[in-house]
Amino acid sequence: MNLILLGSPGSGKGTQSKMLAEKLGIEQLSTGDILRDAVKNGTEEGKKAESYMKQGVLVPDDLITSIVIKKISNAKNGFILDGFPRNIHQAESLDKVLTVDHVFFIKVDDDVIIDRLSNRLTCRACHNTFRKSEVMDNTCPVCHSDKLYIREDDREAVIKKRLEIYYKETYPLVEYYRKKAILITIDGNDDIFTINTNINNKIKITPVNKK
Ligand code: AMP
């Protein structure tokens, strides 16, 4: 099964796609995580992507599309795509190599997004994200590393830029996938477990238990 999680930055796509990947036993592919690792490791791709990411704008289509297509051609069981496609051109490139079964559009109000992103910590080791108030002693609640940090693009000015880019470039994908009759809209203002239950119900799997 191939799934796409679509939504604005901070809509919870990353969290939900990790939960779904665990449940379904299929690979989650987060283009944001892949690019951040590439920047951290100083690869050629990371060097090309870094300045775009800092500004909160999209990296060039050919750079990200070639990364994704390489990953897709190596896997067998299907994918959960988180952060790709980000515009119509990327979606058309994806259509040439993958049949997408469902696209979950996680719809969240902008004021909720701004509050979530400006209070978010990310773990460099396991890529999970947390609200600052959930974290004790700067230790990651999932992998227990001390690698929590505030993403450079989670600062207020960059958050606004990312939202602007989202509405201009990514939001048209809602209509693109609605026309293909594979779009499922989920209320993303709810808590993580309610969202997870709603997504699972749509693809008829039992929810991940509350920890
Ligand atoms: P994310 O973690 O999904 O919010 O992505 C962080 C940043 O990585 C974005 O603001 C973009 O600069 C870049 N990025 C991630 N995915 C894509 C994509 N599919 N196309 C272009 N840029 C991307």
Side-chain angles (χ1 to χ4, degrees):
M1 175 156 39
N2 296 313
L3 305 175
I4 291 175
L5 270 80
L6 182 65
S8 60
S11 58
K13 329 183 271 303
T15 304
Q16 293 301 328
S17 54
K18 284 183 184 67
M19 290 164 104
L20 268 174
E22 192 184 322
K23 191 81 199 174
L24 296 168
I26 59 179
E27 196 175 332
Q28 176 221 10
L29 210 154
S30 157
T31 46
D33 288 347
I34 293 169
L35 289 170
R36 276 184 291 281
D37 281 347
V39 170
K40 185 176 72 182
N41 297 329
T43 66
E44 275 313 305
E45 286 158 344
K47 284 181 195 147
K48 285 185 196 150
E50 190 171 11
S51 65
Y52 298 96
M53 295 174 75
K54 274 190 181 156
Q55 293 169 60
V57 299
L58 299 185
V59 308
D61 284 344
D62 53 349
L63 173 66
I64 192 67
T65 303
S66 66
I67 294 176
V68 170
I69 288 176
K70 223 183 292 167
K71 298 254 178 202
I72 285 177
S73 52
N74 289 337
K76 297 168 188 70
N77 290 339
F79 274 105
I80 300 172
L81 290 173
D82 157 19
F84 189 93
R86 272 306 223 275
N87 59 29
I88 301 279
H89 185 241
Q90 293 180 10
E92 288 171 348
S93 303
L94 185 66
D95 283 344
K96 291 185 190 142
V97 293
L98 195 77
T99 304
V100 177
D101 298 288
H102 304 291
V103 177
F104 287 100
F105 168 43
I106 308 184
K107 196 166 182 264
V108 186
D109 299 338
D110 286 356
D111 54 341
V112 175
I113 291 296
I114 292 168
D115 174 66
R116 279 187 193 169
L117 291 182
S118 48
N119 285 291
R120 179 163 90 165
L121 288 173
T122 300
C123 178
R124 240 185 253 287
C126 70
H127 301 301
N128 280 292
T129 58
F130 309 94
R131 205 169 166 83
K132 283 176 189 162
S133 57
E134 293 174 329
V135 171
M136 305 269 285
D137 304 328
N138 211 37
T139 301
C140 173
V142 171
C143 76
H144 309 294
S145 80
D146 59 357
K147 306 253 181 300
L148 293 175
Y149 74 114
I150 298 173
R151 274 172 50 178
E152 211 163 324
D153 58 354
D154 279 348
R155 316 224 176 233
E156 202 174 329
V158 189
I159 293 171
K160 292 207 169 122
K161 183 74 193 166
R162 286 162 73 201
L163 272 174
E164 191 186 310
I165 299 282
Y166 164 74
Y167 281 113
K168 192 163 156 242
E169 303 268 343
T170 309
Y171 188 72
L173 290 174
V174 170
E175 208 38 49
Y176 181 86
Y177 288 118
R178 202 194 307 279
K179 280 192 186 141
K180 290 181 182 286
I182 52 173
L183 188 87
I184 300 169
T185 301
I186 299 284
D187 182 355
N189 294 304
D190 281 326
D191 67 88
I192 289 174
F193 292 97
T194 307
I195 298 171
N196 177 246
T197 303
N198 291 339
I199 292 177
N200 292 344
N201 285 342
K202 296 285 179 190
I203 45 178
K204 305 204 170 21
I205 56 175
T206 47
V208 172
N209 289 332
K210 211 173 227 178
K211 294 205 172 101

